[in-house]
Amino acid sequence: MTRRAGIVTSLLLALALVAAACGDSGGSPGGALADGTTADATAGTGSDGTTADGTTGTTAAAPDLAPLIGLDLEFITDDIPRPTGIMTAPGSDYLYFVDQLGTVRVFDTDFNNLPDRFINIRDIVKMGGIEQGLLGMAFHPDFASNGRFFVYYTDADGSRTLAEYGMLSMEPPIADTSTARILFVRPQPTTEPRHYGGMLKFGPDGYLWVSVGDGARASVNGQNPDNIFGTILRIDVDSGDPYGVPPDNPFVNGGGLPEVWAYGLRNPWRFDLDPVDGLIYIADVGQERIEEVNVVSMTQGGYNFGWDILEASRCFRESGCDRTGLTDPIVEYTHDEGCSITGGVVYRGDAMPELNGHYFYADWCNGWVRSFRHIDGAATQTEDWTQDLFNAGQVQAFGFDSTGEMYIGNHEGLIYKVVPVRADS
């Protein structure tokens, strides 16, 4: 039996069983996935903001849909060299594509490329390797009124740089490069142009979260929260000079830099913040043997993810290592399956309600795409979408449009929208 045929059989059986159990009581059944588990197909919220699966969110109830039998890729463009970000701005339907060379392009809702680039800073961005360049961008939550956004890039000296910009025009959206304000510059601690991290995202708390790689100097930086390398930072860009520190950050009273929220990471290339479940998903690129995904609550902080005592859950430098105080990943895979994880996003759109809450991620080397759903501290409903998304290639970035639908960008510069395949299509 083929994978899609198996999904169809499981879905139809699950739908029949749920319909029989529910009778005339109403409600939409969940869709069974390939592993026989059931994903939530009704993410509608009640008066208290609670969804059908007990989480909190605002996703509307799903309409009656034909069974989901797989996923497909809808081609958008082939002109985004080495994409590192796919996103929208608050209050806007425009789609922004960040490329590693140093530009950001804007597409409208009909996927027309606007003639003016949103920003072009190639003259100050260094691209001395596959890990350098314009690595991240995030719009301020009040961008529609204040026009502020932030970028993370490697400068002419190879230093990781966090900068703020303003706008020249909101319609069409064009940045004003003369407004650049540097929040920090940190020289690379080695001569190797590797392990920069670079993801930026604003959380539901209004603070800017930043991933920073260890600078290819694990023995010094891996277990040292007194510098920014190998960490997740959480900063307040609306106070302080050049920024403030949230008062509930874990090290505000000592034990590490006050802006450090978590440490013990090697190269957290991408992360995602899911406001529905209040979780951060951190994909950390491994070294010798193992890639990993860490999933923890956004409300606590102070986590130590173990590098370089551990590589994922394996003792790295010596057997029988001391694991006291270390947080293990929720998902890991060995280099028999891939070699470099590309962290993704938690899907919360309406087109595929069966996959509500699934975290999608990829391997840059082997070109596969997988997903899982986090429930009670475990990865469940695991799926391998490689057969469906075989054209995805070397995935560098995941992102969303303003409706919450998911996109994938690969190293070759191709951007695709991920779309459902249903039994009646």
Side-chain angles (χ1 to χ4, degrees):
M1 179 182 291
T2 65
R3 179 180 181 277
R4 287 191 174 181
I7 298 177
V8 173
T9 301
S10 297
L11 279 163
L12 293 176
L13 177 60
L15 289 170
L17 290 173
V18 175
C22 293
D24 294 329
S25 62
S28 300
L33 299 175
D35 63 359
T37 56
T38 303
D40 178 34
T42 53
T45 56
S47 60
D48 62 352
T50 303
T51 63
D53 63 356
T55 59
T56 56
T58 57
T59 305
D64 292 331
L65 297 171
L68 180 71
I69 61 174
L71 303 180
D72 205 352
L73 296 173
E74 177 185 319
F75 173 78
I76 303 300
T77 182
D78 60 0
D79 193 29
I80 310 297
R82 300 187 185 182
T84 54
I86 302 170
M87 67 197 72
T88 57
S92 170
D93 290 329
Y94 287 122
L95 197 56
Y96 295 80
F97 298 116
V98 184
D99 76 56
Q100 202 167 344
L101 303 184
T103 64
V104 180
R105 300 176 218 200
V106 189
F107 281 59
D108 63 21
T109 54
D110 294 321
F111 301 119
N112 296 310
N113 189 355
L114 300 190
D116 293 311
R117 293 178 180 178
F118 175 70
I119 192 170
N120 183 350
I121 53 172
R122 288 188 178 183
D123 58 332
I124 63 172
V125 170
K126 181 175 182 177
M127 268 291 297
I130 63 171
E131 296 184 33
Q132 291 185 330
L134 177 54
L135 303 177
M137 184 175 82
F139 293 97
H140 192 281
D142 296 325
F143 173 78
S145 59
N146 64 27
R148 299 169 64 196
F149 68 97
F150 300 81
V151 294
Y152 181 112
Y153 61 90
T154 51
D155 68 11
D157 296 322
S159 297
R160 59 206 70 208
T161 304
L162 179 64
E164 175 184 339
Y165 284 88
M167 296 295 290
L168 185 66
S169 164
M170 295 296 283
E171 190 62 46
I174 301 174
D176 184 352
T177 55
S178 71
T179 63
R181 184 175 76 93
I182 303 300
L183 277 70
F184 68 64
V185 177
R186 294 293 187 276
Q188 179 72 344
T190 68
T191 58
E192 298 183 56
R194 299 188 295 118
H195 303 185
Y196 292 93
M199 178 76 183
L200 302 181
K201 191 162 187 176
F202 278 91
D205 51 16
Y207 298 128
L208 181 62
W209 298 59
V210 186
S211 70
V212 185
D214 70 4
R217 199 178 184 190
S219 62
V220 174
N221 297 326
Q223 288 295 302
N224 184 8
D226 286 317
N227 64 46
I228 72 166
F229 298 103
T231 70
I232 300 291
L233 307 178
R234 179 174 176 254
I235 63 175
D236 182 358
V237 298
D238 294 322
S239 70
D241 184 16
Y243 56 80
V245 174
D248 58 345
N249 267 12
F251 301 120
V252 291
N253 295 317
L257 287 182
E259 56 263 59
V260 169
W261 185 83
Y263 66 106
L265 294 162
R266 182 176 179 269
N267 189 21
W269 166 250
R270 304 291 92 165
F271 66 87
D272 193 27
L273 304 174
D274 179 30
V276 175
D277 287 337
L279 300 173
I280 179 172
Y281 292 69
I282 308 167
D284 196 17
V285 180
Q287 178 157 314
E288 292 182 349
R289 301 184 185 178
I290 310 177
E291 308 296 301
E292 67 184 272
V293 181
N294 300 280
V295 185
V296 294
S297 171
M298 284 189 281
T299 62
Q300 181 176 340
Y303 299 97
N304 180 353
F305 294 109
W307 178 252
D308 63 336
I309 298 171
L310 304 177
E311 181 185 25
S313 62
R314 178 185 75 97
C315 289
F316 178 67
R317 294 195 178 275
E318 58 183 26
S319 61
C321 58
D322 183 1
R323 298 171 178 268
T324 304
L326 307 183
T327 299
D328 280 336
I330 191 172
V331 164
E332 59 183 48
Y333 64 90
T334 72
H335 286 187
D336 292 334
E337 301 176 68
C339 79
S340 180
I341 191 170
T342 297
V345 291
V346 179
Y347 178 77
R348 296 288 182 185
D350 292 333
M352 301 176 288
E354 300 91 338
L355 301 178
N356 175 48
H358 269 249
Y359 173 74
F360 283 77
Y361 63 104
D363 187 78
W364 192 84
C365 301
N366 284 12
W368 50 251
V369 179
R370 296 173 180 172
S371 74
F372 66 86
R373 195 173 182 209
H374 178 277
I375 298 178
D376 296 332
T380 66
Q381 300 174 11
T382 57
E383 287 286 326
D384 188 333
W385 302 103
T386 308
Q387 179 178 333
D388 294 11
L389 308 180
F390 62 90
N391 284 328
Q394 291 179 290
V395 177
Q396 288 207 169
F398 289 81
F400 293 122
D401 62 21
S402 61
T403 68
E405 297 310 316
M406 183 169 55
Y407 293 73
I408 286 176
N410 70 25
H411 185 69
E412 290 72 31
L414 284 75
I415 305 291
Y416 297 99
K417 183 178 182 180
V418 179
V419 296
V421 178
R422 298 195 175 275
D424 63 347
S425 60

